[in-house]
Amino acid sequence: MTIPEPTIHDKAGPPAGAGPTGDTAAEAPGRPAGRTASWAEFEAAEPAFARIVEERFQQYRHHVLATLRADGSPRLTGIETDFRFGELWLGMMPASRKALDLRRDARCALHANPGPDAEMADGDVRVAGRAAEVTDPLLLARYVEAAEPPQPFHLFRLDLTEAVRTGVEGEEIVVQLWHPGRPLRTLRRGNDDSPPREDPRP
């Protein structure tokens, strides 16, 4: 089924050389400026890593969202996430502080709930990107029918700029890092001042 392209509310401004709508020739319609990816594009590029990240978020209901206040300082708030239609969705109460933050500045980061103890056997996961508010009536109706969220609400789609997983293997800290358009990187370092080592890419 074809997903209708959402109308977005993005206050970050168009890139240099963009047309009146803020789109450039290289961008897909409805996507913000710069190198970002939908969740489906992340899955297509790195299916195993995307599955690890999604499963980590799905272990718990509540996570932590970082947004930017009007003065540029960070704001941390709790949030629930939803994966469907090949996207990562963020739903928010009407006129909530985090929603107003994202309307003003779309940049944000989302940290998966670390769990009840310090073990984090599945690693520590976070993603960052730009949140685009959905105002398209058809897509909103489809989402409401599928997810049955409390109403009224703000719905944002998160366009990814990075995904990171940090874990421990033996005596090493292992960081997996993905950016759109680049291969997955794996960095390792011990508990000393030695520089990190990067695994060879397949």
Side-chain angles (χ1 to χ4, degrees), residues 22 42 67 76 122 164 196:
F42 178 27
T67 58
L76 297 179
D122 297 305
V164 182

Side-chain angles (χ1 to χ4, degrees), residues 120-171:
M120 289 194 299
D122 297 305
D124 183 71
V125 163
R126 67 184 185 275
V127 295
R130 294 165 59 88
E133 184 173 11
V134 177
T135 58
D136 184 282
L138 293 177
L139 183 53
L140 282 171
R142 184 184 180 202
Y143 184 87
V144 167
E145 181 180 7
E148 300 182 342
Q151 297 188 61
F153 72 113
H154 295 288
L155 180 63
F156 290 84
R157 180 195 72 222
L158 184 60
D159 295 311
L160 301 176
T161 57
E162 72 171 7
V164 182
R165 178 185 181 274
T166 304
V168 177
E169 294 182 10
E171 299 298 319

Side-chain angles (χ1 to χ4, degrees), residues 178-199:
W178 177 81
H179 293 97
R182 303 178 189 175
L184 179 68
R185 300 176 63 197
T186 301
L187 304 175
R188 301 174 182 271
R189 65 171 302 166
N191 190 26
D192 55 32
D193 58 359
S194 300
R197 298 176 290 105
E198 183 168 359
D199 285 4

Side-chain angles (χ1 to χ4, degrees), residues 7-197:
T7 301
I8 63 172
H9 186 130
D10 187 347
K11 290 291 190 179
T21 63
D23 291 334
T24 62
E27 292 170 354
R31 292 286 169 197
R35 183 61 68 93
T36 64
S38 68
W39 195 264
E41 290 167 338
F42 178 27
E43 290 178 313
E46 295 289 346
F49 186 52
R51 184 169 56 253
I52 290 171
V53 174
E54 180 174 346
E55 289 175 352
R56 187 64 184 78
F57 274 105
Q58 291 183 336
Q59 285 185 14
Y60 299 98
R61 182 174 181 178
H62 297 103
H63 307 286
V64 177
L65 178 71
T67 58
L68 294 172
R69 303 171 189 258
D71 65 1
S73 61
R75 187 195 309 276
L76 297 179
T77 51
I79 195 166
E80 298 178 26
T81 59
D82 187 27
F83 296 86
R84 65 181 73 235
F85 311 149
E87 303 284 5
L88 171 52
W89 304 100
L90 307 174
M92 305 175 196
M93 294 176 60
S96 63
R97 294 290 185 181
K98 55 195 168 191
L100 298 179
D101 285 347
L102 292 175
R103 280 183 160 185
R104 183 178 54 253
D105 190 323
R107 293 173 296 172
C108 62
L110 182 65
H111 193 283
N113 189 324
D117 52 43
E119 296 302 318
M120 289 194 299
D122 297 305
D124 183 71
V125 163
R126 67 184 185 275
V127 295
R130 294 165 59 88
E133 184 173 11
V134 177
T135 58
D136 184 282
L138 293 177
L139 183 53
L140 282 171
R142 184 184 180 202
Y143 184 87
V144 167
E145 181 180 7
E148 300 182 342
Q151 297 188 61
F153 72 113
H154 295 288
L155 180 63
F156 290 84
R157 180 195 72 222
L158 184 60
D159 295 311
L160 301 176
T161 57
E162 72 171 7
V164 182
R165 178 185 181 274
T166 304
V168 177
E169 294 182 10
E171 299 298 319
E172 292 185 320
I173 296 174
V174 181
V175 179
Q176 294 173 285
L177 178 65
W178 177 81
H179 293 97
R182 303 178 189 175
L184 179 68
R185 300 176 63 197
T186 301
L187 304 175
R188 301 174 182 271
R189 65 171 302 166
N191 190 26
D192 55 32
D193 58 359
S194 300
R197 298 176 290 105

